[in-house]
């Protein structure tokens, strides 16, 4: 009889980090479905490619670092990073784009900082921004959404494979995203009014549904308690208030309405899947709200006055930088203390 | 009867698993063949055994006496003989053995004479408190704090709310539940005794809503009393004292404070029951209800168990097969301790023995990296940031952990329970808390040592200053003497060179003394070093350094002395017997005697200090010697002073003869001194209440007159000269 010596607590809630991460993967399904519906199989190919590369990179690095490979692969964190990155890469992307982005994300942004839990920056977004800066053309070549003007159809599997692996030039198929379109024609109400890309059911054509898809996924994550409401609520609220204010109070021709902002580009993916990456976000509830709000503000500012049509990735990375400081200044009030601690000053 | 229930942050809902043990009534566990009663089953000082091996004891007889205010006695759980009083394994996280009294029962179970009182009010509160203490009642829910300490309300404290903690929020445990179902009346009686003692405005009984039978029983038992049953929602850890207080009153006990600070006192169900038995039946706390549960237990349920019953024996009674044993937990699954030794006894705080099989409680899986998911922070009932605490504990940044209020963690385990990375967070916190405690203790020790050291340094510096001052005085005196000698070369027939020789001899003597005293200091330091080495003191290095320094000094002094002596020897050859002069000089002799006496005194004093420091036994003798030497030194000093004063006067007189103004001035000064002395004496007499002597007063007057006369004379002379 050998009695096991374990300190309390002796019971544990079922589930582990791998399960946690798998929930995130499940939650991407609606968004992924919409992306595939409107833009063909490119994103699915990206995902398959990215996951494969990520697993290879992760395995090699874990071997190099002398860590048990199976144990760490089981936390699914590499898969999540790969999927989130692949979701953000255009469906027209050639294979090497995904390769570079994923490798950089896993090797540099994650493992060179010490691996899971130690990375200060969201690895998927580091990979994304690297690609965006290095290959701006490839990274901004999107397709028009299927069904646009009743003429566009999503590329079939051969076209998607061709663009990914055979160097097929996507220019023939490509088209602007709603964010691009507004940026290009801002201040010209006639063009804006007649551009069908900007007029789906409530926002940009096609993209509105992609965002609704990710919103649904986010709701699932909230329901499963994988994330809390603080960061998405903060980010979406900030975006809503800013775009609403500039659209109604300043100038509707230069500043699109809140639905355009909330349902275009990477807003929902960013709010529920990227900004909520726990490793790199603020941790206390108050800190998370502030963190989300600031991401929303930065996103709006860069989209509106910056050089890039979308800005979620930049905003998230910038706020990653600020998260530790936010944490110091937003500690919760501990039971039995009058005031919360602020910074490193001890309050009573 | 609906009362507002506050909520606390966080909390979890682990599977309750209470049904397995809550549905059968309390059974008598039986009498084991030996009982091992630890003398410490409570927080505070261990009790002192008051029986001897071989003594026959009766059930309820005191085995060990309380040792101090925060301490409790323990009693014999049955009649029999004391088989041993020795160290035995007990359930303690450190795994250390503790003093236990082993009893071999005689099977008679014969009570010591005891008697309860029904109308306890007639006895007075102090008597009741004493009886509760004598019954050895400790908090039976958690840590085992002596109940009497919580009951003795300070006169300036008003307790508004008395809370009976019947929450029992830990999964698996049903001891309080069963006790309430079966003995609600007695619990309420006990509660009323407590209420009578502390006179609260309201009495609340907090029960989780997962115990409907207990709630019904308690409601029935409290009907018509001022006790109110308050049902709280099931959530772990509602039964934490501070959490329950918050739930029922909305008050927060300040960090580091106790419930009484906010006018609340909390007692556990089992404790109230034990108080009732102690007061109204006269029975000390010798048994308790313990839940035996877990899938390895065939006969799950609650047992009334004698304190000191070995766990292994008890499990056998409940049908646990030794071969099935995989894990044994004393307490609940959230906060209980793993038991390693089947011989450990049941004690006053043992509310549950949990024997799960490996399917029920799978082995812990290896921890994964923290992904900062924040689940832990969402469930922490104290609203901490467990992930940050974990981080700081892991990287040993204990000051930061403390800053993030690690001390407020109640080790409830909620954070570990939900952590998806399976990090044993509480283990990290225990580690960090332990480290911080050790650091603080070491800091306190170091501070203490530093203070002692500084005080010693200050004393030495003072002494050194004193010495320096005396040395200077002496030097001045010597200078004056020389001046005199030079001023009156005619007075002495000795040739001028003799004066030089005297000086030289003086210097030599001084050097010698210096050399001797440094040597002495060096020897002393060496001695101190030796004792320090023997005692393993911490200042060894400092001492060693000092010894080296002193040795260097001593060597230097010796060398200086030798060179000086040699040099003098050469001059001495040239000039015959110069040293004789110093011998002829009575003042020099006196001075030397005084210096020697003083040195002897100082040395003795030092020896005394050293002896005191090292705790030697001859301190008293040394002290006496020091006193004697001091007296002698004082005497010789006085003699020297007198001689010096006389000499001065002579010199002054001589000088005065040459200069009338000077003489007059001197006279004035002298009279001033006399006056001062006289008035001082008068003042002293007045202060000491000796009755202001007329004689003294007239002395003062006379002195005043004399001074006036002297001043007058001085003026006259000055005028004349002008
Ligand atoms: S629950 Fe575990 S993994 Fe999540 S933040 Fe807390 S310690 Fe880290
Ligand atoms: S063990 Fe400490 S840190 Fe963890 S939940 Fe309980 S009180 Fe909070």
């Amino acid at each position: 009889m050998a009695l096991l010596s374990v300190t309390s607590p002796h019971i544990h809630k079922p589930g582990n980090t791998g399960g946690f991460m798998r929930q995130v993967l499940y939650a991407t399904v609606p968004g992924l479905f919409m992306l595939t519906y409107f833009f063909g199989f490119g994103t699915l190919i990206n995902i398959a490619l990215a996951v494969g590369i990520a697993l290879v990179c992760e395995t090699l690095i874990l071997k190099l670092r002398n860590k048990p490979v199976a144990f760490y692969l089981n936390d699914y964190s590499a898969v999540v990073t790969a999927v989130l990155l692949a979701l953000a890469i255009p469906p027209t992307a050639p294979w090497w784009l995904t390769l570079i982005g994923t490798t950089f994300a896993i090797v540099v942004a994650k493992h060179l900082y010490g691996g899971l839990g130690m990375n200060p920056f969201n690895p998927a977004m580091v990979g994304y921004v690297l690609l965006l800066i290095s290959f701006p053309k490839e990274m901004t070549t999107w397709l028009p959404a299927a069904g646009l003007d009743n003429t566009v159809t999503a590329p079939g599997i051969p076209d998607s494979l061709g663009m990914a692996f055979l160097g097929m030039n996507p220019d023939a198929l490509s088209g602007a995203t709603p964010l691009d379109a507004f940026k290009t024609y801002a201040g010209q109400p006639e063009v804006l009014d007649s551009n069908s890309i900007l007029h789906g059911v409530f926002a940009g054509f096609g993209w509105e549904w992609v965002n609704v898809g990710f919103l649904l996924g986010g709701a699932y994550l909230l329901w499963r308690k994988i994330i809390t409401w603080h960061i998405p609520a903060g980010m979406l609220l900030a975006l809503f208030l800013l775009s609403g204010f500039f659209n109604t109070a300043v100038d509707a021709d230069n500043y699109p309405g809140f639905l355009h902002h909330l349902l275009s580009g990477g807003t929902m993916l960013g709010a529920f899947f990227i900004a909520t990456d726990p490793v790199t976000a603020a941790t206390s509830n108050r800190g998370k709200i502030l963190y989300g709000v600031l991401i929303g503000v930065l996103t709006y500012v860069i989209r509106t006055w910056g050089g890039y049509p979308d800005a979620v990735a930049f905003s998230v990375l910038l706020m990653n930088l600020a998260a530790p400081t936010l944490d110091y200044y937003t500690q919760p009030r501990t039971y039995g203390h009058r005031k919360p601690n602020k910074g490193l000053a001890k309050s009573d | 009867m609906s009362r507002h229930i506050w909520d606390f942050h966080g909390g979890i809902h682990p599977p309750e698993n209470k049904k397995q043990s809550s549905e059968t009534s309390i059974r008598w566990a039986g009498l084991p063949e030996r009982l091992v009663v630890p003398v410490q089953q409570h927080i505070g000082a261990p009790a002192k055994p008051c029986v001897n091996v071989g003594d026959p004891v009766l059930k309820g007889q005191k085995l060990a006496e309380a040792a101090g205010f925060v301490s409790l006695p323990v009693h014999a759980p049955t009649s029999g003989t004391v088989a041993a009083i020795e160290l035995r394994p007990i359930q303690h996280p450190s795994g250390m053995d503790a003093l236990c009294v082993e009893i071999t029962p005689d099977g008679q179970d014969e009570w010591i004479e005891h008697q309860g009182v029904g109308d306890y009010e007639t006895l007075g509160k102090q008597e009741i408190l004493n009886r509760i203490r004598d019954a050895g009642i400790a908090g039976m829910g958690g840590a085992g704090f002596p109940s009497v300490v919580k009951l003795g309300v300070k006169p300036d404290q008003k307790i508004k709310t008395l809370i009976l903690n019947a929450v029992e929020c830990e999964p698996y445990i049903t001891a309080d539940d069963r006790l309430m179902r079966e003995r609600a009346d007695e619990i309420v009686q006990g509660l009323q005794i407590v209420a009578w003692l502390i006179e609260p405005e309201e009495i609340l009984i907090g029960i989780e809503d997962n115990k409907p039978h207990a709630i019904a029983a308690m409601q029935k038992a409290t009907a018509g009393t001022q006790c109110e049953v308050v049902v709280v929602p099931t959530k772990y850890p509602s039964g934490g004292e501070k959490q329950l207080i918050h739930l029922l009153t909305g008050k927060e006990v300040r960090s580091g404070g106790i419930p009484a600070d906010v006018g609340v006192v909390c007692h556990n169900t089992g404790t109230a029951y034990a108080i009732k038995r102690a007061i109204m039946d006269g029975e000390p706390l010798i048994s308790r209800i313990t839940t035996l549960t877990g899938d390895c237990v065939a006969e799950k349920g609650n047992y009334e168990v004698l304190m000191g019953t070995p766990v292994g024996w008890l499990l056998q009674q409940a049908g646990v097969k030794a071969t099935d044993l995989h894990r044994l937990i004393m307490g609940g699954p959230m906060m209980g301790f793993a038991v390693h030794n089947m011989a450990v006894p049941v004690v006053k705080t043992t509310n549950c023995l949990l024997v799960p099989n490996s399917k029920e409680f799978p082995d812990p899986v290896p921890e994964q990296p923290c992904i900062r998911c924040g689940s832990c922070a969402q469930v922490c009932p104290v609203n901490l940031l467990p992930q940050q605490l974990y981080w700081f504990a892991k990287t040993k940044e204990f000051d930061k952990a403390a800053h993030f209020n690690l001390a407020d963690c109640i080790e409830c385990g909620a954070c570990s329970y939900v952590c998806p990375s399976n990090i044993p967070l509480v283990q990290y916190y225990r580690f960090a808390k332990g480290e911080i405690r050790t650091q603080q203790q070491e800091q306190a020790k170091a501070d203490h040592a530093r203070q002692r050291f500084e005080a010693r340094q200050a004393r030495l510096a003072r002494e050194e200053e004193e010495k320096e001052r005396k040395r200077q005085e002496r030097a001045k005196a010597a200078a004056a003497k020389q001046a005199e000698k030079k001023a009156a070369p005619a007075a002495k027939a000795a040739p001028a060179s003799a004066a030089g020789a005297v000086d030289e001899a003086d210097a030599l003597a001084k050097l010698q003394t210096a050399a001797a005293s440094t040597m002495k200091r060096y020897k002393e330091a060496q001695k101190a070093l030796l004792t320090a080495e023997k005692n393993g003191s911490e200042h060894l290095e400092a001492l060693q350094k000092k010894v080296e320094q002193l040795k260097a000094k001593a060597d230097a002094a010796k060398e200086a002395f030798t060179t000086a002596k040699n040099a003098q020897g050469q001059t001495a050859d040239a000039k015959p017997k110069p040293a004789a002069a110093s011998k002829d000089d009575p003042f020099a002799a006196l001075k030397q005697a005084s210096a020697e006496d003083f040195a002897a005194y100082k040395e003795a004093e030092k020896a005394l200090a050293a002896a005191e420091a090292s705790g030697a036994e001859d301190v008293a003798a040394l002290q006496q010697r020091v006193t004697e030497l001091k007296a002698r030194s004082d005497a010789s000093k006085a003699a020297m002073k007198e001689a010096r004063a006389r000499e001065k006067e002579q010199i002054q007189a001589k000088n005065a003869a040459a200069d009338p103004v000077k003489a007059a001035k001197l006279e004035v000064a002298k009279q001033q001194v006399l006056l001062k002395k006289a008035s001082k004496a008068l003042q002293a007499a007045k202060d000491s209440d000796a009755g202001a002597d007329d004689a003294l007063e007239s002395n003062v007057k006379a002195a005043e007159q004399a001074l006036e006369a002297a001043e007058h004379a001085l003026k006259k002379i000055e005028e004349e000269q002008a």
Side-chain angles (χ1 to χ4, degrees):
Chain A
M1 174 199 81
L3 283 174
L4 200 64
S5 167
V6 187
T7 60
S8 64
H10 303 274
I11 49 176
H12 191 270
K13 196 178 180 177
N16 56 25
T17 297
F20 201 90
M21 296 284 180
R22 280 199 299 276
Q23 295 295 330
V24 178
L25 294 180
Y26 303 153
T28 61
V29 169
L32 177 61
F33 175 80
M34 293 298 179
L35 276 173
T36 310
Y37 175 81
F38 285 106
F39 304 105
F41 294 90
T43 308
L44 279 177
I45 294 171
N46 286 349
I47 287 180
L49 203 56
V51 168
I53 295 164
L55 289 178
V56 171
C57 289
E58 181 96 348
T59 308
L60 289 178
I61 290 271
L62 286 172
K63 280 228 168 92
L64 273 180
R65 295 181 65 199
N66 257 335
K67 304 249 176 180
V69 175
F71 177 71
Y72 278 95
L73 282 187
N74 228 342
D75 66 27
Y76 279 82
S77 60
V79 179
V80 168
T81 299
V83 168
L84 293 181
L85 174 60
L87 286 172
I89 292 177
T92 58
W95 60 272
W96 48 265
L97 205 63
T98 314
L99 174 73
I100 293 173
T102 312
T103 311
F104 194 77
I106 299 291
V107 176
V108 177
K110 182 178 172 189
H111 279 292
L112 286 195
Y113 282 105
L116 180 60
M118 314 284 283
N119 49 304
F121 298 105
N122 186 321
M125 287 304 101
V126 173
Y128 180 83
V129 164
L130 172 89
L131 294 177
L132 188 61
I133 293 171
S134 315
F135 311 100
K137 180 165 173 298
E138 285 80 357
M139 284 299 285
T140 49
T141 307
W142 274 88
L143 302 168
L148 183 69
D149 302 334
N150 291 324
T151 54
V152 179
T153 50
I157 294 183
D159 277 351
S160 292
L161 284 173
M163 286 187 285
F165 297 106
L166 304 173
M168 185 175 131
N169 192 335
D171 287 354
L173 302 172
S174 71
T177 67
L179 283 174
D180 297 331
F182 197 95
K183 202 154 184 118
T184 315
Y185 304 118
Q188 306 169 31
E190 337 64 69
V191 191
L192 290 180
D193 282 348
S194 64
N195 193 333
S196 53
I197 292 177
L198 294 173
H199 300 280
V201 182
F202 8 77
F205 189 86
W207 281 94
E208 56 189 3
W209 295 111
V210 171
N211 274 281
V212 167
F214 285 120
L215 175 62
L216 284 177
Y220 173 78
L221 289 181
L222 281 174
W223 173 59
R224 296 306 307 261
K225 296 213 168 84
I226 301 296
I227 59 172
T228 63
W229 55 268
H230 307 83
I231 293 177
M235 172 171 165
L236 298 179
L237 188 73
L239 215 47
F240 166 76
L241 290 178
L242 280 174
S243 51
F245 171 78
F246 279 98
N247 180 255
T248 51
V250 181
D251 174 8
D253 293 337
N254 279 304
Y255 304 100
F258 66 87
L259 279 175
H260 174 84
H261 272 288
L262 291 182
L263 296 177
S264 289
T267 305
M268 291 299 171
L269 178 67
F272 290 99
F273 292 84
I274 308 284
T276 51
D277 165 33
V279 175
T280 54
T283 49
S284 67
N285 288 346
R286 289 190 306 142
K288 284 196 275 193
I289 295 179
L290 199 56
Y291 176 83
V293 165
L294 291 173
I295 288 180
V297 170
L298 280 175
T299 304
Y300 187 80
V301 168
I302 301 177
R303 272 183 185 178
T304 309
W305 296 289
Y308 288 92
D310 204 354
V312 174
F314 291 113
S315 314
V316 169
L317 288 183
L318 279 172
M319 287 315 295
N320 285 168
L321 211 58
T325 311
L326 281 182
D327 277 342
Y328 270 126
Y329 284 91
T330 53
Q331 296 171 43
R333 183 186 67 86
T334 307
Y335 174 96
H337 290 252
R338 269 199 210 103
K339 274 188 263 142
N341 288 336
K342 281 251 159 57
L344 280 177
K346 185 100 182 152
S347 72
D348 54 359
Chain B
M1 235 188 45
S2 83
R3 145 181 295 276
H4 180 72
I5 309 283
W6 277 262
D7 193 14
F8 61 88
H9 178 267
I12 53 173
H13 297 92
E16 289 168 21
N17 284 311
K18 292 197 184 238
K19 285 274 175 293
Q20 295 98 309
S21 56
S22 67
E23 300 313 306
T24 45
S25 38
I26 298 171
R27 278 168 275 186
W28 166 240
L31 190 63
E33 54 272 21
R34 62 196 176 89
L35 288 157
V36 181
V37 186
V39 297
Q40 184 180 23
Q41 306 183 28
H42 51 265
I43 285 184
K48 278 205 204 78
C50 55
V51 289
N52 294 311
V53 177
D55 284 1
V57 288
L58 292 173
K59 181 175 187 167
Q61 184 179 334
K62 227 179 245 183
L63 294 177
E65 300 262 15
F69 181 61
V70 184
S71 183
L72 290 174
V74 294
H75 303 80
T78 186
S79 60
T81 39
V82 177
I85 302 177
E86 60 191 25
L87 293 180
R88 290 291 171 83
I90 61 158
Q91 183 42 40
H92 191 272
S94 72
M96 275 191 321
D97 292 356
L99 193 62
C100 297
V101 179
E102 183 184 328
I103 294 190
T104 312
D106 57 13
Q108 308 294 315
D109 208 26
E110 189 186 333
W111 267 101
I112 196 169
E113 206 180 305
H114 65 286
Q115 204 169 21
V117 285
D119 47 353
Y120 50 84
E121 290 98 334
T122 55
L123 288 180
K125 289 185 181 175
Q126 196 48 51
E127 174 60 20
I128 296 299
L129 286 174
N130 289 345
R131 288 190 183 200
I132 291 175
R133 176 188 293 276
D134 277 346
I137 297 174
M140 292 170 71
F145 194 73
S147 301
V148 67
V149 180
K150 282 209 248 178
L151 288 170
V153 182
K154 286 192 219 107
D156 57 336
Q157 227 162 22
K158 176 77 196 116
I159 298 302
K160 182 165 177 290
T161 313
L162 167 64
I163 294 177
L164 186 74
N165 188 344
V167 173
E168 202 163 52
C169 60
E170 273 246 15
Y172 284 94
I173 308 179
T174 56
D176 285 351
D177 184 6
R178 262 340 290 193
L179 191 67
M180 285 189 283
R181 292 199 209 181
E182 297 178 28
R183 304 177 194 172
D185 289 330
E186 288 182 90
I187 296 169
V188 174
Q189 282 168 344
L191 185 60
Q192 278 170 329
I193 297 175
V194 176
W196 172 73
L197 281 171
I198 64 178
E199 300 174 21
E201 283 166 30
E202 52 179 3
I203 309 169
L204 307 178
I205 302 172
I207 313 180
E208 265 186 351
D209 59 8
N210 60 359
K211 297 184 241 319
H213 299 291
I215 293 169
M218 289 302 279
Q219 269 166 347
K220 195 159 147 254
T222 53
T225 68
Q226 59 160 152
C227 309
E228 182 185 336
V229 176
V230 186
V231 181
V232 299
T234 300
K235 170 162 116 173
Y236 178 85
S238 308
E241 192 173 59
K242 292 180 175 180
Q243 279 64 43
L244 182 60
I245 290 171
H246 189 77
L247 280 171
L248 298 187
T249 67
K251 290 178 189 162
E252 275 188 29
V253 181
R254 296 270 291 143
S255 171
I258 56 166
D261 297 343
V262 291
V264 180
V265 165
C266 245
H267 281 279
N268 170 270
T269 320
T271 315
Y273 175 73
I275 288 175
K276 186 265 162 185
R277 302 291 292 196
I279 301 302
M280 302 180 80
D281 306 290
E283 296 174 7
L285 181 54
I286 51 172
S287 69
R288 68 156 298 141
I289 313 297
T290 300
T291 305
L292 296 188
T293 186
D295 280 355
C296 288
V297 184
E299 301 281 327
K300 300 181 190 62
N302 286 284
Y303 290 79
E304 177 137 21
V305 188
L306 293 179
M307 307 299 174
T309 304
V311 163
W313 183 88
L314 184 59
L315 292 181
Q316 262 173 18
Q317 304 306 300
V320 177
K321 284 202 224 77
T323 46
D324 291 350
L325 267 179
H326 167 65
R327 232 159 136 171
L328 171 57
I329 296 157
M330 195 181 261
M334 293 302 296
M335 293 182 78
F337 298 102
V339 175
H340 316 282
N341 190 328
M342 300 303 274
V344 307
V346 167
V347 293
K348 292 172 183 173
T349 53
T350 310
N351 51 6
C352 180
L353 284 173
L354 181 53
V355 201
N357 60 24
S358 55
K359 216 168 88 206
E360 197 176 11
F361 280 23
D363 290 356
V365 298
E367 68 177 85
Q368 291 171 289
C370 167
I371 52 168
R372 293 165 54 84
C373 64
S375 306
C376 47
Q378 302 300 334
V379 300
C380 177
V382 194
N383 214 347
L384 297 168
L385 290 174
Q387 70 273 50
Q388 307 286 68
L389 294 177
Y390 156 70
W391 186 266
F392 297 139
K394 196 170 176 175
T395 52
K396 305 216 164 100
E397 294 173 88
F398 298 125
D399 47 338
K400 280 201 189 137
H403 172 75
F404 274 69
N405 299 330
L406 176 63
D408 291 296
C409 166
I410 57 170
E411 299 182 18
C412 67
C415 50
S416 306
Y417 177 77
V418 297
C419 175
S421 287
N422 286 298
I423 303 173
L425 294 163
V426 179
Q427 205 171 316
Y428 282 98
Y429 305 152
R430 290 206 184 104
F431 162 71
K433 281 183 185 176
E435 289 294 304
I436 291 173
R437 218 172 302 129
T438 327
Q439 274 179 7
Q440 279 169 348
Q441 276 164 3
E442 263 161 27
Q443 189 58 43
K445 235 205 250 160
D447 282 349
H448 191 66
R450 189 167 46 75
Q451 277 167 7
R452 247 188 359 222
F453 179 70
E454 277 170 0
R456 197 183 117 82
Q457 289 299 90
R459 184 167 55 79
L460 289 182
R462 242 188 352 260
E463 282 174 8
E464 198 59 39
E465 244 170 60
E466 184 86 348
K467 252 192 235 156
E468 181 61 29
R469 198 170 55 72
K470 290 211 174 114
R471 213 174 292 140
Q472 273 170 5
E473 263 172 27
R474 252 172 303 170
K476 237 191 259 162
K481 201 172 65 183
Q482 264 177 39
E484 173 217 352
K485 278 181 187 148
K486 275 182 194 146
K492 275 192 183 156
S497 65
V502 169
D503 278 358
E504 234 167 82
D506 224 26
L508 193 61
K510 247 186 229 160
L511 272 177
Q512 192 175 14
T513 341
S517 84
T518 355
M519 197 63 202
K520 222 175 286 157
R521 268 168 69 196
Y522 159 58
K523 284 270 153 67
E524 257 160 40
Q526 217 172 18
K527 226 185 287 164
L529 177 63
L530 270 181
T531 17
E533 260 167 358
K534 229 181 287 159
N535 303 347
S537 155
E538 302 134 19
H539 311 306
L540 268 188
E541 260 177 53
L543 275 173
Q544 256 159 358
K545 217 185 260 163
K546 196 158 166 211
V547 167
E548 270 158 34
Q549 279 173 1
L550 281 174
K551 185 165 160 48
K553 244 194 214 166
D555 287 348
K558 217 164 135 189
E559 209 179 275
F561 172 60
T562 335
T563 14
K565 200 167 153 189
N566 288 346
Q568 206 205 12
Q570 282 157 14
T571 38
D573 289 344
K575 293 161 211 145
K577 306 210 173 190
S582 73
K583 257 185 208 147
D584 293 342
D585 186 347
F587 178 66
L590 267 177
K591 201 171 107 179
Q592 187 140 353
S594 157
E596 270 165 21
D597 285 347
F598 186 72
Y601 155 59
K602 273 280 125 118
E603 201 186 317
E605 204 179 41
K606 245 185 238 162
L608 174 62
E612 266 171 355
S614 60
E617 296 135 18
D618 47 357
V619 169
L622 276 172
Q623 243 159 5
Q624 179 143 7
R625 194 171 145 65
V626 168
T627 336
E628 272 169 26
L629 281 172
K630 183 161 163 57
R632 216 161 89 191
S633 160
D634 284 350
S636 62
K637 224 189 270 173
M640 184 181 77
K641 256 193 201 150
E642 213 175 295
R644 197 188 291 162
R646 231 182 288 135
E647 205 174 5
K648 230 188 206 164
E649 243 170 68
Q650 279 172 7
I651 300 165
Q652 282 164 353
K654 261 179 230 150
N655 292 351
D659 186 351
V661 181
K662 227 179 196 174
K665 265 189 192 160
L666 264 176
E667 185 61 23
V668 171
K670 198 167 127 195
Q671 292 308 334
Q672 264 169 348
V673 171
L674 283 177
L675 173 61
K676 229 182 229 164
K677 256 190 204 161
S679 22
K680 222 192 240 166
L682 179 61
Q683 192 60 42
K686 268 185 191 159
D687 282 351
S688 65
D689 242 12
D693 240 9
D694 288 346
L696 281 174
E697 261 178 62
S698 59
N699 266 357
V700 173
K701 282 222 178 88
E704 271 172 359
Q705 280 165 7
L707 176 61
E708 237 168 68
E711 276 173 348
H712 194 70
L714 174 63
K715 237 187 219 156
K716 229 158 111 191
I717 292 173
E718 275 175 344
E719 272 165 21
E720 265 171 32
Q721 285 200 338

